[in-house]
Amino acid sequence: MIYTTLPHTSLEVSKICLGTMTWGKQNTEAEGHSQMDYAVEQGVNFFDTAELYPIPAHPDRYALTEKIIGNWFHKTGKRDKIVLASKIAGKASFTKFIRTTGFKKDGLVEAVNGSLKRLQTEHIDLYQLHWPERSTNYFGQRGYKHDISDFWQDNIHQVLETLRDLIKEGKIGHVGLSNETPWGTMRFLEESKVHKSLPRMVSIQNPYSLLNRTFEVGLSEIAIREKIGLLAYSPLGFGVLSGKYLGGQKPENARITLFPAYARYSNEIALEATQKYQDLARENDMSLTQMALAFVNSRPFLTSTIIGATSMEQLKENIGSIDLVLSEEILQGIEAIHEQHPDPAP
């Protein structure tokens, strides 16, 4: 395993982070525990979860994933071996059953306390805002469309104050963003620069893959210059970059087969690009899965790649990607395809 340091902290994290959002829906608790056991054996020390998980979000499954992780900590006694990250759900129609207060003080305090209880721990190492409160472009929206009627009062100072107090109480260690834009990222960073008592965002969890490299426009420079590390999610585009959906295939129990609404990475152009990436991988005697993950692992602005799997076979292949180094010839081939199909699935 390769390890990196979470920016502006002393925390060493594995460059492969274990994602958990299928546990409690597509995976049983026993399967989740087996995944954690195997990941730790392979040197993975970084777990990412959220109060929203498992997906799709539903009142009957609320926060089951955190409970599964908490039970594993209780069973194994390995909490001190893991850098643990979780997230507060943002405002949305599909999260009204969680809360409607967004990132107001009471909402943040309630969310952190709930996660701590479910995770059976006294602290969360990295606590993240799952998506912005304001109306902006995330979750597959390509461009920003300003709605003058959608008034949003900038409450970033108050959010950071609440997070600071939670840090002082020892409930969380560090804070990060997720699904954030360049404006939002710099707004948070500047607030903590001007007001020295406020905590600094140390990471940003955004989508990044061969099918979605929009992070490179604006955010990659911020990540490098400001030292805010990318935690790349959906590095396989909901499994599309495994190639299993090519040719109109609908594998049984696969995410997009089960949840057709998750079509973010499977439009016609994205599948066309995926076929070309698969051809390139085969020409170089490697799986598309490992080539796609190795590409993400190689980026200079990356801190960790969040992988997710529903089977042990998938998990082993995903974690094994850390040992693969892409040649300059393969990287040039990837760039040639990217020029033909730039970001088909934002």
Side-chain angles (χ1 to χ4, degrees), residues 3-27:
Y3 298 89
T4 57
T5 301
L6 195 64
H8 303 279
T9 81
S10 60
L11 294 176
E12 272 204 345
V13 297
S14 48
K15 206 163 186 180
I16 296 291
C17 174
L18 182 61
T20 63
M21 70 181 182
T22 61
W23 305 348
K25 176 58 177 175
Q26 287 179 265
N27 287 107

Side-chain angles (χ1 to χ4, degrees), residues 151-156:
F151 176 77
W152 176 74
Q153 186 173 355
D154 188 333
N155 65 340
I156 286 174

Side-chain angles (χ1 to χ4, degrees), residues 6-7 9 11 13 17 46-50 66 79 82-88 112 115 119 123-129 163 167 171-178 200-205 228-231 303-304 306:
L6 195 64
T9 81
L11 294 176
V13 297
C17 174
F46 194 14
F47 293 178
D48 178 73
T49 191
E66 288 188 326
R79 172 64 187 94
I82 303 302
V83 177
L84 177 63
S86 193
K87 301 183 280 292
I88 177 175
V112 168
S115 289
L119 290 162
H123 74 282
I124 297 167
D125 299 294
L126 175 65
Y127 197 67
Q128 304 153 103
L129 309 178
L163 292 171
I167 291 172
K171 293 182 177 181
I172 59 177
H174 303 281
V175 290
L177 299 167
S178 184
R200 187 190 201 283
M201 293 296 178
V202 301
S203 62
I204 177 170
Q205 184 177 147
I228 179 168
L230 171 63
L231 308 180
T303 292
S304 193
I306 303 173

Side-chain angles (χ1 to χ4, degrees), residues 90-121:
K91 284 184 176 180
S93 59
F94 61 92
T95 59
K96 287 180 180 178
F97 69 89
I98 300 176
R99 72 182 61 81
T100 59
T101 54
F103 302 150
K104 291 181 179 178
K105 181 176 181 177
D106 289 349
L108 272 163
V109 171
E110 175 192 79
V112 168
N113 287 336
S115 289
L116 290 172
K117 183 177 181 180
R118 291 184 293 267
L119 290 162
Q120 300 187 47
T121 185

